[in-house]
Amino acid sequence: MAEVVVRPMNGGNGHYSYSKNSAFQRNAIEAAKELINKGIAEELDISTFTSSKTFKIADLGCSVGPNTLLAVQNIIDAVEHKFHSQKESNNIACDVPEFQVFFNDQASNDFNQLFTSLPPQTQYFAAGVPGSFHGRLFPNASLHFVHTSCAAQWLSRVPPEVLDKRSPAWNKGRVHYSNSSSEVIKAFEAQYAKDLDNFLKLRAQEIVHGGLMALILPGRPNGTPHSEAYINKAFELVESSLIDMAKKGRISYEKLDSFNIPIYYASLQEVESVVKRNGSFSLEIMENLPHEKPQPKVMSVTLRAGLEGTIKEHFGDEILDELFDLLLYKKLEEASSVIESCDSVCLFVLLKLIPNEQKRVYAACTG
């Protein structure tokens, strides 16, 4: 059975690079800034960290910049403000620590592009950490703040049953789940829940007592069908473009049937359910962030910057220009009114690690 290989976002700084085509993702980070400030001001217990002279931050799925640099700076500014406020209000020695930032992504990520984008005078010590966030990345209790934005919707794998011809969930002739059968949707839901639960278990080992984690996830409002979410509608158009190319003989139906995009867009309700079942973190903030819908041309290059590597790995690079031209000049323009009617949101979730002795009490209270 063929398995989709997930590739990082496009590196470099060329026309289709992620660094030049990630305003959609940047908007989510900017929209979350005030909630990051609020979460750190109200939930970060700096007395827990006074014995440590270094405050350690990790951005998981950082890609190549510049968005990760903005996110990290927002966190550092908020932590510094918290330390200064604590010192003034309590009139105690509460010096701002040094900062160390770990930028994490897959080993094949373009870290060179990322690190050449660092400002000449940074307020922190930077390090790259290659590896999938679906596995362990850091030593036990070594991180004070974990951040991930527009990354944790990527699954660890395509659900095996959607690629299995013998399964009721076989997603024949399709590459996305949102407009497929209920069996396909349930398979993606289950894979996402499993991956998020594992992600939480891993981070619970890596974060210190009292540490925080912020998740920014493109998603859908509670109760909104998958097929009516803006981001899913855009992916359906990528799927439609690939189907048209199969009809023209540009790609084989066998290749089409063995490809599914390993992404799932959850609702806050789904995320909340997984977090509570997992029991490692308390939910401090959960909100839907309104998200601007980009124009068709912007959306096309945004999708290309994010999907090109994965599509190229499976279908080859000779179809890329034709595929994304078809997406831009036909699919997105034809469906513009339909897309505009769909909801576009990002989910913001702030979590706080629960000490082991409190986990049973929290689990009992949340049911």
Side-chain angles (χ1 to χ4, degrees), residues 190-207:
Q191 185 66 50
Y192 177 79
K194 180 179 179 181
D195 283 345
L196 181 57
D197 179 68
N198 182 60
F199 180 90
L200 295 173
K201 287 177 180 175
L202 297 170
R203 306 294 84 82
Q205 296 174 63
E206 297 168 345
I207 295 175

Side-chain angles (χ1 to χ4, degrees), residues 253-270:
Y253 281 101
E254 182 181 3
K255 280 282 190 182
L256 186 69
D257 290 342
S258 61
F259 180 78
N260 272 251
I261 301 169
I263 272 182
Y264 181 80
Y265 295 105
S267 65
L268 278 180
Q269 192 173 43
E270 289 176 284

Side-chain angles (χ1 to χ4, degrees), residues 1-4 163 258-259 314:
M1 183 184 300
E3 180 64 89
V4 173
L163 299 173
S258 61
F259 180 78
H314 191 80

Side-chain angles (χ1 to χ4, degrees), residues 9 31 36 87 154 175 197 199 207 244 263 300 318 336:
M9 309 297 100
I36 291 282
K87 185 174 182 178
W154 284 91
V175 305
D197 179 68
F199 180 90
I207 295 175
D244 282 1
I263 272 182
S300 177
E318 63 274 7
S336 59

Side-chain angles (χ1 to χ4, degrees), residues 9 136 191 276 280 328:
M9 309 297 100
R136 275 294 297 271
Q191 185 66 50
K276 288 183 175 180
S280 299
L328 172 60

Side-chain angles (χ1 to χ4, degrees), residues 132-146:
S132 169
F133 54 57
H134 292 297
R136 275 294 297 271
L137 294 165
F138 301 96
N140 286 333
S142 60
L143 301 174
H144 300 98
F145 197 103
V146 170

Side-chain angles (χ1 to χ4, degrees), residues 160-178:
E161 54 267 45
V162 306
L163 299 173
D164 185 352
K165 296 179 181 180
R166 301 163 298 178
S167 169
W170 183 30
N171 203 20
K172 177 177 171 57
R174 294 183 177 276
V175 305
H176 192 57
Y177 66 88
S178 64

